Amino acid sequence: MKKIFSRPESLRDISTHYCSGCGHGIAHRLVAEVIDELKIRERVIAVAPVGCAVVAYDYWNFDCSEAAHGRALAVATAIKRVRPKNIVFTYQGDGDLAAIGANETIHAANRGENLSVIFINNAIYGMTGGQMAPTTLVGQKTATTQRGRAAQEHGHPLKISEMLGPLPGVKYVERVSLHSPQEVLKAKKAIKQAFQNQIGNIGFSLVEILSPCPTYWGLTPKKSLDWIRDVMVKEFPLGRIK
Amino acid sequence: MKVLISGNEAIAEGAIQAGCSFYAGYPITPQNEIPAYMSVHMPQAGGVFIQAESELAAINMVYGASATGVRSMTSSSSPGVSLKQEGISYIAGAELPAVIVNIMRGGPGLGNIAPSQSDYFQATHGGGHGDYRLIVLAPATVQEAYDFMSLGFSLAEKYRNPAMILGDGMLAQMMEPINIKKSRIKNQKYARPWALTGCRGRKPNIVKSFYMQEGDLEKFNLHLQEKYKTIEAQEQRHEGLFLDDAEIVLVSYGSMSRIAKGAVQRLREKGKKVGLLRPVSLWPFPKKAFGQIRVHPGGRLKFLVIEMSYGQMLNDVKLALNCKYPVEFLGRAGGGIPTEDEIIKRTLSLLSR
């Protein structure tokens, strides 16, 4: 019998700690598949965030560094500068990349660092128990906005991908989603583009991935996917930003 | 080769000759000559210079560069070093070697840009979170500022632990003639099998300080404690002057010790039995040197701690002496520097009691 589907070499054969319906498992796998397909596993140095994906290095099968909360792009900048032949990427959530690490994000992008950034936007802080993220939607209930995010008090969702687009150092930004098999395939294509850009020395590339968090959205896994499709993409439109 | 050079430039040149290949920093006075020098000379030496967007970014860039196994450093001054503390804790937690230079200025808060020694607590007793230790070296001359960069990198790599060079605005800004070796170290002495280089031909490496499984973090901390015990046993450094017959020992470090040394020499000319003990490593604190000082038969023994702070090293001296001898203190901060005359006056008054 011919084997037509298997675990990528870049993904270890162990179960993850993620909640049922969480998007991280899919995103981890997409990254691993792309790295296998591009045959760069032995060249990759990943930088993991602080957040639910902190132990991504337990699941991936290549070199990886942890970074302090928000500092992944500072860590990645230095790794890439001293080892330009390695393929360096960060994998960060919305709190890590768009709140505490917004400064590092903006400046790494503005310097045009030749890095690939995988940005998981699930509109909430997962690891700490479902607090408001910079990307939380107006009206969305979280542990720290129990009556819903109020724009007047908390501001509007921060669209950091759109903010980065105009910077000359930024070469590629695309927002994708994990809410359907079709969108997952598009997400993989975008991730691949971000890595190909780095291999081709094109420059700073970021893929924002809308990803479900059923646990802290208070929805079933299926309804979480529907919520992305029906609600979240209205605030965060999918497609190429730059 | 003999050159006339400032403390800041000596630190930068010392780092380059020590094989440092990565520098990241953020502007702050009085250490700005270090990044300015690095921006020119680091690329010439084949290394990387980055002016970071913040102190936080700078220390985390050092973390990243160090994780790949290259000699990496940052420099800053007091308020900037406060900002780096989280990163220093992560570097210690990930057991990465790195050198951090703190050219101390007046505090607290924004303070001023005058020389100070008010960050001793922060450097030697924590600063960041967790049970970690920082190797701290305190140069007193521009020559030592140069030499200690090599020593700092070597100790950092030997023990896989961050090291700090603790100077002040006086040392950083003054110029002295020093000997420099134009022989940049190319091969680091210690193997770095832990470094992130891409997993070709080996299992993936992970650089981290996160231990969630029950018992793992305690085990890791016990490993750190063992390492710190070894450093305490092997790496105490000090300079002693006239300690054999001293009735009063002045204790001072860094550029302050130069002024204290001047006072000791003048007092000796007057026949006063005064000595100097200068801690060179502030952590590990040179306890053994204090333990070896004996009161000579029929004599007496007192200590006078002199700092550009309000007594931050003082407690370490008392602990090192087990409170066996009286310990007095003379200190000024916020831009005030104890003068040679003040030290002599105080010493004479203690001798006359």
Side-chain angles (χ1 to χ4, degrees), chain B residues 23-74:
Chain B
Y23 175 93
Y26 184 85
I28 183 168
T29 308
Q31 61 81 56
N32 290 315
E33 292 79 7
I34 300 175
Y37 192 96
M38 285 297 193
S39 72
V40 176
H41 297 274
M42 185 59 94
Q44 283 174 1
V48 174
F49 165 86
I50 302 180
Q51 179 169 331
E53 60 269 32
S54 69
E55 304 292 3
L56 305 180
I59 190 71
N60 284 285
M61 286 174 182
V62 169
Y63 174 103
S66 178
T68 71
V70 305
R71 289 194 160 181
S72 317
M73 71 169 288
T74 184

Side-chain angles (χ1 to χ4, degrees), chain A:
Chain A
M1 198 162 42
K2 195 182 167 199
K3 198 173 185 182
I4 56 163
F5 188 78
S6 64
R7 181 178 290 274
E9 193 186 1
S10 292
L11 208 57
R12 290 176 209 255
D13 189 7
I14 48 171
S15 308
T16 72
H17 71 290
Y18 297 120
C19 308
S20 51
C22 171
H24 276 306
I26 301 170
H28 283 13
R29 178 171 177 116
L30 294 181
V31 168
E33 285 181 1
V34 163
I35 287 171
D36 273 17
E37 286 167 22
L38 295 172
K39 299 185 168 52
I40 52 174
R41 190 184 73 87
E42 293 180 332
R43 286 169 70 195
V44 161
I45 301 175
V47 182
V50 168
C52 285
V54 60
V55 293
Y57 44 72
D58 285 345
Y59 308 138
W60 284 323
N61 186 27
F62 38 73
D63 275 13
C64 193
S65 178
E66 198 172 86
H69 196 28
R71 315 295 165 223
L73 276 165
V75 173
T77 290
I79 293 173
K80 184 70 184 179
R81 291 282 193 105
V82 296
R83 298 193 65 87
K85 287 179 183 161
N86 285 92
I87 302 300
V88 183
F89 79 94
T90 69
Y91 183 103
Q92 303 173 259
D94 39 48
D96 194 84
L97 181 139
I100 195 166
N103 200 32
E104 281 76 6
T105 304
I106 290 166
H107 287 275
N110 193 49
R111 287 191 301 265
E113 300 293 346
N114 188 26
L115 297 167
S116 312
V117 181
I118 309 301
F119 168 32
I120 305 295
N121 177 0
N122 59 9
I124 207 148
Y125 283 79
M127 195 195 214
T128 46
Q131 295 83 0
M132 180 183 68
T135 46
T136 294
L137 303 195
V138 170
Q140 189 183 336
K141 288 180 178 164
T142 73
T144 49
T145 56
Q146 298 199 6
R147 284 179 292 177
R149 179 175 186 158
Q152 244 183 338
E153 192 184 343
H154 310 110
H156 290 267
L158 191 72
K159 293 175 183 168
I160 200 145
S161 292
E162 278 85 348
M163 287 166 63
L164 297 176
L167 300 176
V170 173
K171 301 303 178 192
Y172 173 66
V173 184
E174 181 153 358
R175 184 180 290 120
V176 296
S177 173
L178 300 179
H179 71 259
S180 71
Q182 190 190 5
E183 296 301 330
V184 168
L185 289 177
K186 282 191 203 165
K188 182 177 171 183
K189 210 175 144 204
I191 292 168
K192 196 164 193 174
Q193 186 64 56
F195 279 95
Q196 280 169 330
N197 286 352
Q198 186 178 163
I199 293 165
N201 280 316
I202 287 169
F204 192 90
S205 302
L206 182 145
V207 181
E208 176 177 341
I209 303 175
L210 305 188
S211 176
C213 180
T215 300
Y216 291 111
W217 291 356
L219 298 171
T220 64
K222 170 70 174 70
K223 280 186 176 158
S224 297
L225 299 179
D226 296 344
W227 191 76
I228 296 180
R229 183 193 62 207
D230 299 337
V231 182
M232 207 174 166
V233 294
K234 292 202 173 78
E235 186 66 36
F236 294 105
L238 302 183
R240 181 103 180 232
I241 292 164
K242 188 174 192 178

